[in-house]
Amino acid sequence: MDMFCIEGGVPLNGTVRVGGSKNASLPILAASLAIQGEVIVRQVPQLQDIVTMSQLLQSMGAIVETREDGSISVDPSQVKSSVAPYELVRQMRASVCVLGPLLARFGEARVSLPGGCNIGHRPIDLHLRGLAALGADIRLESGYVVAEASKLRGAEVDLSGPNGPTVTGTCNVMVAAALATGRTVLRSAAQEPEVEDFARFLNAAGANISGAGTSIVEIHGVRALHEVCHSVIPDRIEAATLALAAAITRGDVTIQNAPTTHMTSVLNALSLIGVPHDITQDAIHIRAGSILRPMELTAEPYPGLPTDCQAQFMALLATVLGESQITDAVFPERFMHVAELVRMGARIRVQDNSAIISGVAQLSAAPVMASDLRASAALVLAALAAEGRTEIRRVYHLDRGYHAFEQKLNQLGAKVQRVRDETMAAVPRPHLEFSRDRVPNT
Ligand code: EPZ
């Protein structure tokens, strides 16, 4: 198992490029199961989660290949199984995105219920409610969701939940409705750019979807979806993480291929905190040198501040003198990173679904442990700003969502080393490898 050793205190400087979006790629790859023809997806980032999704599709009989240009092609014609096994779903919750496509294609699906998650309570009741509204019979059986529908019919579907709409739930119901008979209206649909990109992909395959990106989506069912080639949007969360890495080191960095039109809330928060920056259509230039201000921020469903940037903003505000507060309205318990930041000298206490941060002039290096994808990104940012050499264990969490993160940071002058963690050597880890011919089979 790998860990990072980071020598902190170096202001980042230079130019870096953002890759394709993980959270746009995953539901799109899953939806290839419902397509009659070859699916080619471009700009897919090379990440562990993409490997897991590819292995899931292959376990059902799809042929998945990574092509010379890095795009992924999926041939779903040989898919015979409509089962998503526990072994794969437990590795990645987004595996649940195969539920809607399998139901639409086979009229049945057997998908393992995703287990617990470090970022909080994550039920899939809204996914099931939406699919049931389209006429699916749904039951839980030995830890699996079993869904059956001889015919899916268009319907009015309300996707509002206690913490707002559901992103992957909107995608699951949208693809099922795209192949249902008649008209569906999704109310309280998630408005994330990844959902809009998902609808763009389905429409390119012959679906008839309008209003994606707003809270009301209208879908007129079609008989079949045909072969399609689609480029996914850039990763707004990776772009925000790199911008915050520049800000926390008080560096001067240009982030290219940044989807700035998808990042208004993030850029507004940077302005409120006083991080000097300039933006263009597809680039953000973070400039050094200014006194930053403490701030109260709330993570909310899009177009609000992304919960996937909450931890990274907390790392920054931990270095800004004065009292700040961060509330997470999407995952109210998403504070696993707090204790590790406190180990690095941050002064943070959690109260209900908020973290109260009393900024300090200097963080200090300490051995810390990553608990989930975005928490690990926050620990890397804190280590870049900290005095001394920090060890971050379990960086496999980071590899799930950031491609070659240490190379990108070192390109900006950081001192990040990836080394084997001998203390954890015994613990087996799924192998991450991208060969040019085929994605490795389980
Ligand atoms: C997506 O997860 C993202 N993952 C998450 O990113 C992101 O944090 C989340 O959306 C919110 O933006 C992918 O796109 C693969 P939700 P998803 O369903 O779809 C509650 C990352 O770091 N809820 O929108 O699983 C739920 O508990 C990951 O890249 C229900 O109550 O999230 C949460 O409080 C982490 N019932 C809220 O809604 C449901 O059926 C939003 O969850 C579904 C969700």
Side-chain angles (χ1 to χ4, degrees), residues 106-119:
F106 293 106
E108 61 173 21
R110 192 179 164 77
V111 175
S112 169
L113 261 179
C117 178
N118 282 345
I119 69 175

Side-chain angles (χ1 to χ4, degrees), residues 22-24 26-27 93-94 97 119-128 161-169 190 192 194 236-237 301 306-308 329-332 334 373-374:
K22 165 183 83 80
N23 289 348
L26 293 172
R93 299 183 56 79
C97 290
I119 69 175
H121 174 49
R122 299 179 74 181
I124 59 165
D125 57 317
L126 298 173
H127 299 234
L128 305 184
N163 304 320
T166 165
V167 175
T168 49
E192 271 68 5
E194 295 78 25
R236 62 193 170 106
I237 307 298
T307 171
D308 295 343
V330 179
F331 291 110
R334 192 178 195 169
L373 168 56
R374 307 304 172 181

Side-chain angles (χ1 to χ4, degrees), residues 14-279:
T15 301
V16 66
R17 189 175 172 75
V18 167
S21 164
K22 165 183 83 80
N23 289 348
S25 303
L26 293 172
I28 284 173
L29 287 170
S32 64
L33 292 166
I35 308 270
Q36 292 186 6
E38 187 182 26
V39 173
I40 296 172
V41 189
R42 294 206 175 98
Q43 310 293 341
V44 177
Q46 292 188 23
L47 301 169
Q48 183 57 45
D49 277 6
I50 302 294
V51 172
T52 308
M53 182 58 81
S54 303
Q55 290 168 340
L56 179 58
L57 298 177
Q58 281 180 312
S59 73
M60 297 171 180
I63 297 172
V64 183
E65 287 178 349
T66 306
R67 301 164 16 129
E68 273 311 306
D69 61 3
S71 62
I72 289 192
S73 76
V74 182
D75 171 2
S77 58
Q78 304 309 308
V79 170
K80 299 271 179 300
S81 155
S82 58
V83 179
Y86 173 68
E87 291 68 37
L88 288 169
V89 175
R90 74 178 172 77
Q91 289 180 43
M92 179 184 68
R93 299 183 56 79
S95 309
V96 75
C97 290
V98 300
L99 185 55
L102 288 172
L103 196 55
R105 170 156 179 190
F106 293 106
E108 61 173 21
R110 192 179 164 77
V111 175
S112 169
L113 261 179
C117 178
N118 282 345
I119 69 175
H121 174 49
R122 299 179 74 181
I124 59 165
D125 57 317
L126 298 173
H127 299 234
L128 305 184
R129 189 168 84 194
L131 295 172
L134 299 179
D137 290 328
I138 297 189
R139 65 183 187 279
L140 299 186
E141 210 177 79
S142 344
Y144 278 73
V145 173
V146 179
E148 287 157 345
S150 51
K151 197 144 199 42
L152 292 170
R153 295 187 192 295
E156 288 270 335
V157 180
D158 171 13
L159 286 175
S160 58
N163 304 320
T166 165
V167 175
T168 49
T170 300
C171 296
N172 249 331
V173 179
M174 195 189 280
V175 64
L179 288 165
T181 313
R183 173 175 173 272
T184 293
V185 178
L186 300 185
R187 296 193 187 286
S188 303
Q191 304 176 47
E192 271 68 5
E194 295 78 25
V195 172
E196 217 178 327
D197 202 33
F198 186 72
R200 239 192 318 271
F201 164 77
L202 292 178
N203 281 342
N208 180 348
I209 302 169
S210 53
T214 74
S215 63
I216 302 182
V217 178
E218 187 167 342
I219 305 156
H220 292 272
V222 296
R223 251 176 16 74
L225 298 173
H226 54 68
E227 63 175 26
V228 55
C229 178
H230 177 84
S231 294
V232 298
I233 53 177
D235 196 314
R236 62 193 170 106
I237 307 298
E238 183 193 7
T241 305
L242 290 164
L244 288 158
I248 202 170
T249 62
R250 313 303 192 255
D252 189 309
V253 172
T254 299
I255 299 138
Q256 294 175 327
N257 196 35
T260 53
T261 54
H262 298 161
M263 300 177 68
T264 308
S265 59
V266 168
L267 297 167
N268 286 349
L270 288 176
S271 303
L272 289 171
I273 298 170
V275 176
H277 61 276
D278 314 307
I279 59 168

